[in-house]
Amino acid sequence: MTTPQERRARIAEQVRQAGFASIESLATHFAVTEQTVRRDVNALCDQGVLRRRHGGVELPIERENLPYENRKVLNLAEKRAIAAMVAARIPDGASLFFSIGTTPELVAQALCDHSHLRVFTNNLNVAAACCGNPTFEVTIVGGRLRNRYRDVVGHEVNQFFSQYKVDFGVFGVGGIDSEGGLLDFAEEEVRAREAILANSRRSILIADHTKFGRNAVVRGGSITDVDLFCTNRPLQPDMAARLEAAEVEVLLAEVPAALA
């Protein structure tokens, strides 16, 4: 049986694809009552994930990223599938950078059955997840804490990542434009991501399909700069060709049918 959290994630995804959905159509699609859908929709709107419109819901106007807790409900099955795929590529004893974001947190959780990893991060949730394994060594940067996003930003973060050279840099992105440009919502997010990429022996970009075409405003770097790109749906032919020409390895996560 689908849990309310899973159903709300799927409602948000359906609205993202269509732009709008009526209460009646959502109730029919998920085989629940309209009252149940209204509760789901109200919760998603209260979180800023969706916006009410007469007779249904639509996507909100994105001027800044959603709070961390709100983003965690979006595309959860896809993000978990990506995280499991990345974790399978990381050997015991490796050193890693982790960026901000919900998908990096899920990768960290998926790595918790590994041993003797060295983790460096400005993501508080990643640090908390990794501290649960007594064999891990976790180093977290000091700086300005963003309560809304549960991360640390500022010039200290760039200096922090530049002090080390690690085996893997695992990072997400706010959006990816049609030419493969990487986008975020703030300049300091871009600078931290670029420091991770520059100081990793193998850079791993993780992004579910909803990041393509997302309207984040700060440009920094290209998808062709990374060593490995992990997502959950086949790429458009021109994007696939661009990555192949740049010798970027692409991995597609498979979401279990029961969760798709």
Side-chain angles (χ1 to χ4, degrees), residues 69-127:
E69 281 300 314
N70 299 1
R71 280 181 279 145
K72 289 180 73 169
V73 308
L74 297 175
N75 312 307
L76 187 58
E78 290 85 352
K79 291 176 181 178
R80 283 175 173 163
I82 292 169
M85 183 174 60
V86 173
R89 287 293 189 100
I90 307 298
D92 291 340
S95 55
L96 303 98
F97 288 148
F98 278 97
S99 79
I100 64 175
T102 58
T103 312
E105 177 192 353
L106 291 172
V107 175
Q109 292 174 2
L111 284 167
C112 283
D113 61 352
H114 283 50
S115 65
H116 297 91
L117 298 182
R118 295 190 67 194
V119 172
F120 305 85
T121 189
N122 63 328
N123 186 325
L124 297 187
N125 284 14
V126 165

Side-chain angles (χ1 to χ4, degrees), residues 25 52 104 240 253 260:
S25 67
R52 295 176 183 85

Side-chain angles (χ1 to χ4, degrees), residues 7-237:
R7 187 175 58 250
R8 289 170 189 176
R10 291 166 63 186
I11 288 172
E13 170 63 7
Q14 185 165 323
V15 175
R16 192 202 71 81
Q17 292 181 355
F20 172 83
S22 69
I23 298 297
E24 182 181 2
S25 67
L26 290 171
T28 299
H29 180 82
F30 292 101
V32 295
T33 66
E34 291 188 13
Q35 184 179 12
T36 296
V37 167
R38 286 194 181 91
R39 284 198 297 267
D40 291 336
V41 162
N42 286 339
L44 291 167
C45 291
D46 289 345
Q47 293 170 353
V49 176
L50 300 178
R51 182 173 65 170
R52 295 176 183 85
R53 205 178 95 188
H54 180 69
V57 284
E58 62 185 2
L59 292 175
I61 298 171
E62 290 188 288
R63 295 184 177 88
E64 60 180 3
N65 209 354
L66 292 170
Y68 202 96
E69 281 300 314
N70 299 1
R71 280 181 279 145
K72 289 180 73 169
V73 308
L74 297 175
N75 312 307
L76 187 58
E78 290 85 352
K79 291 176 181 178
R80 283 175 173 163
I82 292 169
M85 183 174 60
V86 173
R89 287 293 189 100
I90 307 298
D92 291 340
S95 55
L96 303 98
F97 288 148
F98 278 97
S99 79
I100 64 175
T102 58
T103 312
E105 177 192 353
L106 291 172
V107 175
Q109 292 174 2
L111 284 167
C112 283
D113 61 352
H114 283 50
S115 65
H116 297 91
L117 298 182
R118 295 190 67 194
V119 172
F120 305 85
T121 189
N122 63 328
N123 186 325
L124 297 187
N125 284 14
V126 165
C130 291
C131 283
N133 186 318
T135 73
F136 287 10
E137 178 183 304
V138 181
T139 304
I140 189 166
V141 64
R144 178 168 61 87
L145 172 64
R146 298 193 300 182
N147 296 0
R148 179 180 174 90
Y149 304 128
R150 298 187 182 178
D151 59 27
V152 179
V153 295
H155 70 275
E156 299 96 340
V157 175
N158 309 331
Q159 295 173 351
F160 171 76
F161 287 126
S162 298
Q163 290 180 73
Y164 306 99
K165 190 72 173 181
V166 302
D167 299 319
F168 300 95
V170 180
F171 56 92
V173 68
I176 304 171
D177 68 21
S178 60
E179 298 178 349
L182 303 183
L183 308 172
D184 278 297
F185 289 89
E187 290 83 354
E188 52 202 359
E189 295 173 352
V190 171
R191 288 193 292 268
R193 172 165 51 75
E194 290 178 336
I196 288 175
L197 192 151
N199 295 287
S200 304
R201 296 184 181 91
R202 187 161 177 78
S203 55
I204 303 175
L205 172 60
I206 49 178
D208 69 76
H209 66 281
T210 64
K211 298 301 177 71
F212 285 96
R214 192 173 182 216
N215 192 27
V217 297
V218 185
R219 179 187 292 273
S222 168
I223 196 172
T224 58
D225 297 335
V226 308
D227 297 308
L228 176 62
F229 175 54
C230 302
T231 189
N232 64 293
R233 288 190 185 174
L235 305 176
Q236 293 294 324

